[in-house]
Amino acid sequence: MDNDNLSDLCTEAEDSPSEYSISSTSTADPESGRLPGKVCAFIGRRLEVAASRFMEKRGYGPEASRKRLESLCSGAGPLYDPVKDRKCQKEAKKLLKFVRSKFVSNQQLALEAIVDLATHNRARQVLIELDATKIIALVSLQAEVENCDQLLFRCRKALSCLEDTKKR
């Protein structure tokens, strides 16, 4: 085949409209092709909730972490106990990891736990020492970008609880 023939063929192919256009298979219906995505999202949410409940029953998750932190920080005992302080910090770090989780349900539960723990002096002090306000502020920015109103509300609530008690 000649180079001239090849270039003529390419020129003709560029000029002639294609019978099979990419857009010819799509419809004007905004719902077309979204049903599988909706089904997958629904199943994913159900699986996430089921996994969260399963792990919660076994002592994992933000709610279990809140309960352990609450029991560690509210018990009667000496004013300064280094072993107890390390355990409190360890549980608070776990709770803050749930705040940074990629699962919104875990983030929401962890933020609610922080709001509940803001009334306990020792737990609040440990959270503030671990820069919980900065972590929550970053999650708040992320929620604002992603338009997740429920998460944004909980972030603001947790921030206001920690900041309000920090000033006292």
Side-chain angles (χ1 to χ4, degrees):
M1 191 177 242
D2 249 7
N3 279 343
D4 292 333
N5 290 338
L6 187 59
S7 65
D8 290 339
L9 186 63
C10 290
T11 307
E12 286 177 22
E14 288 175 0
D15 292 338
S16 67
S18 174
E19 284 183 39
Y20 302 104
S21 172
I22 293 173
S23 63
S24 68
T25 58
S26 69
T27 63
D29 184 19
E31 293 293 320
S32 65
R34 293 183 63 199
L35 183 62
K38 287 182 178 181
V39 170
C40 288
F42 175 77
I43 291 171
R45 276 193 304 274
R46 299 289 285 206
L47 183 64
E48 179 183 340
V49 169
S52 179
R53 285 184 188 151
F54 177 78
M55 295 306 286
E56 191 73 40
K57 287 179 183 177
R58 276 137 188 86
Y60 298 100
E63 189 62 28
S65 184
R66 179 195 65 82
K67 288 176 184 175
R68 283 192 298 267
L69 186 60
E70 191 173 31
S71 69
L72 281 168
C73 294
S74 65
L79 213 48
Y80 178 73
D81 184 5
V83 174
K84 202 172 190 181
D85 280 348
R86 279 195 303 271
K87 288 181 180 180
C88 282
Q89 284 186 346
K90 183 178 177 183
E91 286 303 321
K93 285 179 184 177
K94 284 182 186 178
L95 190 60
L96 290 174
K97 281 183 183 178
F98 286 115
V99 170
R100 294 183 304 240
S101 173
K102 64 181 177 178
F103 298 114
V104 175
S105 59
N106 280 343
Q107 289 177 322
Q108 291 175 347
L109 287 171
L111 290 167
E112 287 295 325
I114 288 174
V115 169
D116 292 341
L117 289 169
T119 58
H120 297 282
N121 290 331
R122 182 62 191 134
R124 181 182 62 246
Q125 182 182 359
V126 169
L127 287 168
I128 290 171
E129 286 172 2
L130 293 174
D131 286 331
T133 53
K134 289 180 183 177
I135 293 169
I136 296 170
L138 288 173
V139 171
S140 174
L141 289 173
Q142 178 186 358
E144 200 170 326
V145 168
E146 294 174 359
N147 276 340
C148 188
D149 292 334
Q150 290 180 345
L151 186 60
L152 186 61
F153 170 73
R154 285 183 172 87
C155 285
R156 289 178 178 164
K157 189 175 176 182
L159 277 173
S160 66
C161 285
L162 286 176
E163 288 295 324
D164 183 41
T165 54
K166 192 181 194 183
K167 293 176 184 176
R168 290 182 186 172

